């Protein structure tokens, strides 16, 4: 059985690659998907629709175009990993977690202990809170091979 995992959230570190390498090393049959991780490309996702009159409308257009990919891949996934980094506030990641909760889609969070408090509601709905990519891989290993 191929397990589909959507890797949501922070785009400034190589956490996705770490999970993918770990899953491969563990021999897990996992297909990973993700949002567009090229920040300028993501910000410009709606630019082809015409020049926006303000930054708000440019962001609005791009968010809607990005949502086509995000919603589709979350809905098609068996599980979602939502990563919250410490450098930026990832409102999009929190939104993805809420979307998963609304769909009843299993998700795990991945973040450091120092942001437990602001993420308490997000973590309360998650099936697990991981602090390392190795813990994510071990969670996948258990789910697929237990």
């Amino acid at each position: 059985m191929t397990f589909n995992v959507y890797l949501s959230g922070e785009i400034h570190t190589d956490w996705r690659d770490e999970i993918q390498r770990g899953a491969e090393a563990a021999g897990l049959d996992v297909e990973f998907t993700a949002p567009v991780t090229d920040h300028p490309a993501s910000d410009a996702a709606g630019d082809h629709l015409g020049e926006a009159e303000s930054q708000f409308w440019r962001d609005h257009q791009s968010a809607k175009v990005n949502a086509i990919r995000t919603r589709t891949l979350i809905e098609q996934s068996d599980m979602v990993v939502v990563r919250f980094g410490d450098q930026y506030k990832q409102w999009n990641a929190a939104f993805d977690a809420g979307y998963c909760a609304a769909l009843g889609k299993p998700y795990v969070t991945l973040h450091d202990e120092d942001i437990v408090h602001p993420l308490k509601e997000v973590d309360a709905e998650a099936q697990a809170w991981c602090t390392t990519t190795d813990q994510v891989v071990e969670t996948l290993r258990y789910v697929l091979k237990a």
Side-chain angles (χ1 to χ4, degrees):
M1 160 180 86
T2 299
F3 205 65
N4 296 302
V5 177
Y6 182 76
L7 301 174
S8 168
E10 186 259 321
I11 64 169
H12 302 285
T13 62
D14 69 346
W15 69 274
R16 287 179 179 84
D17 294 333
E18 290 176 15
I19 291 171
Q20 290 170 340
R21 284 191 304 269
E24 185 177 325
L28 303 179
D29 186 9
V30 180
E31 181 177 310
F32 293 99
T33 58
V36 173
T37 57
D38 177 325
H39 202 164
S42 176
D43 287 349
D47 286 357
H48 66 282
L49 299 172
E51 189 171 336
E53 60 191 56
S54 70
Q55 186 62 45
F56 172 83
W57 290 113
R58 179 180 188 239
D59 287 345
H60 186 77
Q61 284 181 170
S62 292
K64 287 180 168 264
V65 171
N66 280 317
I68 297 167
R69 177 187 179 93
T70 301
R71 289 180 186 178
T72 300
L73 293 175
I74 287 174
E75 290 168 9
Q76 292 174 350
S77 70
D78 297 304
M79 185 180 101
V80 175
V81 178
V82 185
R83 166 75 175 144
F84 294 90
D86 59 358
Q87 189 175 11
Y88 300 99
K89 291 176 175 57
Q90 288 94 45
W91 307 120
N92 58 320
F95 187 87
D96 288 354
Y99 190 59
C100 289
L103 292 173
K105 180 75 59 178
Y107 73 93
V108 301
T109 57
L110 173 60
H111 63 81
D112 293 336
E113 190 170 344
D114 62 343
I115 56 175
V116 165
H117 181 73
L119 292 174
K120 64 186 175 292
E121 288 82 8
V122 172
D123 287 336
E125 289 296 319
Q127 278 58 57
W129 162 45
C130 301
T131 58
T132 68
T133 55
D134 288 340
Q135 289 176 331
V136 173
V137 172
E138 179 56 24
T139 301
L140 289 169
R141 189 210 57 76
Y142 177 82
V143 168
L144 293 170
K145 295 196 171 188

